[in-house]
Amino acid sequence: MKKKSFFGINVRLALMLVVICGMFASCYEKEELTTEAPSTVAPVYKITGVVSDASTGAPLSGAKVNSTTTATDGTYSLSAVVGLNVLTISMDNYKTATTSVYVEQIENGKVAVYAANAALYPGKDTPDYKTVKYNIKGTATDESNKAVALTSAVISGLTPTLSGNTFSAENVQPGTYYAVLTAAGYNKAYATINVVPVAAEIGEGDQIVTSMVGVLMQKESATAVSKYFVCGFVTDEKGDAVSAAAVKVEVGSAVYNDLKTDGKGYFYKEISAENVTPTTLATITVTKSGYVKQVKASLLKWVETGATSVTSVSFVLKAESVTPNPDPSEGGEAEVPVDVTKKEDKDIEDIKKEESADVVSKIEELAKEYGTEVIPVVPVETELVVSLESTEQVYDEETGEPTSETKKVTDEIKLPANTTVYYVGGTAEAISVARDIQAEKTTAATRVFEGKPSGTVFSQPMEVKFDVPVPVTKEPDYVFGVLYLDEKTGEWKADADNYATYDAASKKFVAKVSHFSKFSFGFESAIIDKENANLPAETIDKPCYTGSASANIVLRGQYLGGIAYDGNTPALAAKAALSKMNDETQAYVVLLLNNMIAKDYANVKPTADYTKVAVEENFTVPAYKQIDNFSMVRKQTKKAYTVHVIDKNKVTIDVTVIVKKITSVTIEANYAIGHTHGHGGNGTDLNTGGGIVDFE
């Protein structure tokens, strides 16, 4: 089933803009003019995009995007606010999708347009969600971690409650708040508190979300230096702390990537004052295996000498397994019936007398991690074989696109006879293996499994037989790596010299697993941020002016944007890098890359190059003002997606695709002074006293 392309093919950058000037607007011949003082007109923020059918690519008319409805061509436009904007996209007989756009503050007189497309899958949603209520709670301590009794806490727009060294506010709206704290004998402290919208949980009643901040206050007698801190709490959607999450803070050119959340989900970092200016933006990235990565940004509050600035950003991580899933695939689970009644306890010294050095080494490594001294041991005398059945989405053989069809697939799990099972984690119980299909989509893995109980070691490896999700008519010329998840770092690490290879007799791949945690079979992969920068400004060189009254100008046209490949598409990249491997291998790698990219871009497939995106903005020009020209700046991000393919000779070949995206467009009217009368139009542009000007 081939997706229809909603946008056109490659186009040259062409701005086709129309300025509709009001009753008193006209055009003028350009003169040498002096730049005017900054505009007092408030900036305008908008989010625009296209909603389409994920299966067919057709635009969806009548879909709801927050308070607006898509037009017949699937487009929408709505006003935005500075900070995080959460979008909910819904339509009858389709599954609801959510996405978010972080809007950065711009100067007066400018217009910023952010692009957010979505592709909806057919289906129905689960109704009834809890009511989300937001609270703020903060504490003040000094540099020795002693509580500081607050004398006041001022938060614009709120009436906080004081109690000793704490301040709080209930039933606040999502947004950014600034608190000014005072205490006897201490310098003022400033706190930036970001109350971030979260997705409501399924159920009834209230869902309380508390944004917490810890503020460090300096004594007046302390050395008069400004101090800056970034902190926050990381929780899951149930409100439970997420510990050991990796936190990276980027402030200008400075990068702090040595942070981990503690047992309460808290992180805290002092930022060098030399890296902070009045407009410094801090970008915080939080990652942990099993959760969707989150990136947020916030301005650091610039403070006077001796004061303290604390920027608090809270994160609510979504578990990958519970993220709204339009993919109909569903991983199965199987239980290996180990007879735990035969359990006996042994210490490591006894085990050393019976087992190979490799097995003992793994047991000692895990025993140290789990703090285990006595290990339950269960012998398996006869071979145990079980089937694990899953439901997989079917892919079109010609295009590689996902279809709405599903198929049943069966994996075989075998524990050899005369195997000893060592429960280093401490509990002897039946062994279970569950497949995590959604985790497979984020990596280049063909299988991801969770083996329980964690910490189990086998004297003989457990064998897993499985299929790949694409047709195999010729013997594959590649092998898969066997990888284990490092739960401390969240990284997948290859098991040295252990590969899953193709078995021609069963027509399946066969892998061997020696111990349990989370493990996968596939290729190692990487997603790397390559760029986040503004493209050179583009000038719309067509002036106009007002007379004795103000005029409304509608600027409309098109810019090149959306999501596109920067260079080769997955198919071309695979063909170039894997020219010596067969076409089925290339098709499989293309599928892996497509899955990784789709997961990252809300199912919106990149085009070969940027496509035309409509834009329409309103400007109000005061009386006796002249617009010299317009400036448009597009903000672009780039990411590199790499799959490390392993050929049959165990040689690694990298296949990389770069995806670029225009995340926002900022439009500014450039005013000039020194000209207060108009010139007549030429009949095709702007007529005297008002009309339309076409820009090519």
Side-chain angles (χ1 to χ4, degrees):
M1 181 186 302
K2 189 172 183 180
K3 278 190 176 179
K4 297 179 180 178
S5 175
F6 177 67
F7 295 103
I9 58 175
N10 296 352
V11 292
R12 294 182 179 178
L13 180 61
L15 296 171
M16 296 175 287
L17 302 171
V18 177
V19 173
I20 304 176
C21 297
M23 178 68 71
F24 301 96
S26 185
C27 68
Y28 70 92
E29 297 171 358
K30 184 179 285 188
E31 300 175 359
E32 294 295 326
L33 301 172
T34 305
T35 303
E36 189 186 35
S39 172
T40 59
V41 179
V44 176
Y45 306 94
K46 286 191 175 182
I47 300 174
T48 64
V50 178
V51 179
S52 60
D53 185 304
S55 299
T56 66
L60 292 178
S61 172
K64 291 287 186 181
V65 183
N66 290 3
S67 60
T68 192
T69 303
T70 58
T72 54
D73 59 357
T75 60
Y76 72 90
S77 177
L78 50 80
S79 298
V81 296
V82 173
L84 190 69
N85 293 255
V86 177
L87 306 183
T88 301
I89 305 98
S90 62
M91 187 172 183
D92 289 345
N93 300 318
Y94 284 87
K95 292 188 177 183
T96 299
T98 59
T99 189
S100 61
V101 176
Y102 192 90
V103 173
E104 298 177 4
Q105 189 167 356
I106 58 176
E107 298 175 359
N108 285 346
K110 292 187 178 182
V111 178
V113 183
Y114 288 76
N117 298 337
L120 302 184
Y121 280 83
K124 294 186 177 180
D125 293 312
T126 303
D128 298 330
Y129 290 87
K130 293 182 179 180
T131 300
V132 183
K133 293 186 177 180
Y134 299 89
N135 297 337
I136 291 174
K137 184 176 181 180
T139 58
T141 57
D142 64 15
E143 292 177 296
S144 61
N145 203 34
K146 293 183 179 179
V148 175
L150 295 171
T151 56
S152 71
V154 178
I155 304 178
S156 179
L158 302 178
T159 306
T161 300
L162 285 182
S163 178
N165 75 319
T166 67
F167 63 94
S168 60
E170 296 182 349
N171 294 326
V172 305
Q173 295 298 314
T176 301
Y177 297 87
Y178 298 96
V180 182
L181 309 181
T182 58
Y186 291 84
N187 295 320
K188 282 184 180 180
Y190 299 81
T192 303
I193 308 168
N194 292 279
V195 179
V196 180
V198 301
E201 299 173 356
I202 297 173
E204 298 180 352
D206 295 336
Q207 176 183 343
I208 306 299
V209 177
T210 301
S211 296
M212 304 183 69
V213 57
V215 182
L216 181 68
M217 302 192 72
Q218 298 183 76
K219 291 183 178 180
E220 291 178 340
S221 58
T223 304
V225 295
S226 301
K227 289 198 172 184
Y228 296 87
F229 297 88
V230 173
C231 64
F233 282 85
V234 180
T235 61
D236 60 21
E237 291 183 289
K238 296 179 180 179
D240 296 330
V242 176
S243 61
V247 181
K248 180 173 71 173
V249 180
E250 298 174 86
V251 180
S253 60
V255 179
Y256 306 87
N257 56 8
D258 57 344
L259 302 177
K260 293 278 188 180
T261 54
D262 62 17
K264 296 180 180 179
Y266 186 65
F267 66 90
Y268 198 79
K269 186 67 179 180
E270 182 174 1
I271 306 301
S272 176
E274 65 184 17
N275 293 320
V276 182
T277 69
T279 58
T280 295
L281 191 71
T283 302
I284 306 106
T285 303
V286 177
T287 56
K288 185 171 183 180
S289 175
Y291 293 91
V292 178
K293 179 177 76 172
Q294 277 199 26
V295 181
K296 294 179 182 177
S298 179
L299 283 171
L300 298 182
K301 176 69 175 178
W302 175 260
V303 295
E304 66 269 19
T305 301
T308 300
S309 172
V310 177
T311 300
S312 175
V313 183
S314 296
F315 292 80
V316 179
L317 299 186
K318 287 186 176 182
E320 290 178 342
S321 58
V322 299
T323 301
N325 174 29
D327 187 341
S329 305
E330 185 175 350
E333 184 172 359
E335 184 176 291
V336 182
V338 175
D339 187 358
V340 295
T341 63
K342 297 180 179 180
K343 174 187 77 73
E344 59 177 315
D345 295 332
K346 295 184 179 182
D347 59 34
I348 294 179
E349 292 305 316
D350 291 333
I351 295 172
K352 286 182 178 179
K353 300 174 184 177
E354 304 169 353
E355 279 298 350
S356 66
D358 289 342
V359 173
V360 171
S361 175
K362 177 53 66 176
I363 291 174
E364 288 182 322
E365 176 187 336
L366 292 175
K368 184 177 180 180
E369 180 180 336
Y370 285 94
T372 308
E373 295 181 359
V374 178
I375 299 171
V377 179
V378 176
V380 176
E381 298 170 352
T382 59
E383 181 180 86
L384 300 177
V385 180
V386 297
S387 296
L388 190 157
E389 187 177 84
S390 301
T391 301
E392 282 187 356
Q393 190 171 29
V394 175
Y395 291 84
D396 187 282
E397 294 184 15
E398 294 183 2
T399 65
E401 297 290 339
T403 71
S404 58
E405 300 177 14
T406 60
K407 64 179 179 180
K408 295 292 184 181
V409 294
T410 302
D411 298 334
E412 181 183 284
I413 299 171
K414 180 172 69 176
L415 196 59
N418 301 315
T419 296
T420 304
V421 182
Y422 297 94
Y423 291 93
V424 186
T427 303
E429 58 187 36
I431 294 170
S432 67
V433 180
R435 182 181 172 191
D436 188 347
I437 290 183
Q438 296 315 310
E440 295 166 7
K441 304 291 186 182
T442 64
T443 64
T446 192
R447 289 290 188 278
V448 174
F449 291 108
E450 179 84 32
K452 293 183 179 180
S454 185
T456 301
V457 176
F458 307 105
S459 64
Q460 297 185 81
M462 183 182 75
E463 184 180 277
V464 182
K465 288 185 177 181
F466 59 94
D467 294 310
V468 294
V470 293
V472 176
T473 61
K474 59 189 77 172
E475 184 170 343
D477 50 5
Y478 58 89
V479 297
F480 290 119
V482 177
L483 302 99
Y484 289 93
L485 180 67
D486 186 324
E487 296 182 357
K488 293 181 179 179
T489 65
E491 298 178 350
W492 288 98
K493 295 183 178 179
D495 193 17
D497 299 321
N498 187 9
Y499 300 95
T501 58
Y502 187 72
D503 176 46
S506 63
K507 296 184 178 180
K508 289 178 179 285
F509 279 85
V510 180
K512 295 183 183 296
V513 178
S514 60
H515 63 278
F516 271 174
S517 58
K518 203 164 188 176
F519 56 93
S520 67
F521 311 134
F523 305 126
E524 291 185 275
S525 61
I527 302 176
I528 300 174
D529 293 327
K530 300 286 287 184
E531 178 184 283
N532 186 358
N534 290 331
L535 297 179
E538 301 160 47
T539 300
I540 316 306
D541 193 14
K542 190 73 173 181
C544 63
Y545 86 107
T546 57
S548 60
S550 63
N552 294 323
I553 293 178
V554 178
L555 184 66
R556 63 187 184 191
Q558 296 174 322
Y559 66 90
L560 288 181
I563 304 170
Y565 295 111
D566 188 28
N568 283 341
T569 64
L572 292 175
K575 185 175 182 180
L578 307 176
S579 59
K580 296 182 180 180
M581 302 184 77
N582 67 49
D583 54 352
E584 289 183 354
T585 302
Q586 295 178 26
Y588 179 58
V589 174
V590 170
L591 173 62
L592 294 174
L593 287 166
N594 283 338
N595 282 341
M596 293 166 62
I597 294 168
K599 191 77 173 179
D600 228 12
Y601 289 101
N603 304 317
V604 177
K605 186 177 181 180
T607 51
D609 205 344
Y610 283 145
T611 54
K612 292 181 180 179
V613 179
V615 63
E616 180 175 306
E617 302 305 334
N618 297 311
F619 292 86
T620 299
V621 185
Y624 299 114
K625 297 293 182 181
Q626 300 174 156
I627 292 178
D628 190 18
N629 53 45
F630 296 92
S631 296
M632 179 157 55
V633 176
R634 298 177 296 158
K635 187 170 185 178
Q636 177 177 266
T637 61
K638 287 185 181 180
K639 285 186 179 182
Y641 299 81
T642 299
V643 174
H644 305 290
V645 180
I646 310 171
D647 70 12
K648 60 184 178 182
N649 297 316
K650 315 299 190 301
V651 175
T652 300
I653 305 169
D654 288 352
V655 182
T656 299
V657 171
I658 297 177
V659 177
K660 59 185 180 180
K661 178 183 180 182
I662 297 298
T663 58
S664 67
V665 174
T666 302
I667 302 175
E668 178 181 9
N670 298 318
Y671 287 90
I673 59 175
H675 195 96
T676 58
H677 63 280
H679 297 278
N682 60 15
T684 59
D685 286 325
L686 184 64
N687 294 323
T688 304
I692 297 177
V693 177
D694 291 322
F695 289 95
E696 297 296 335

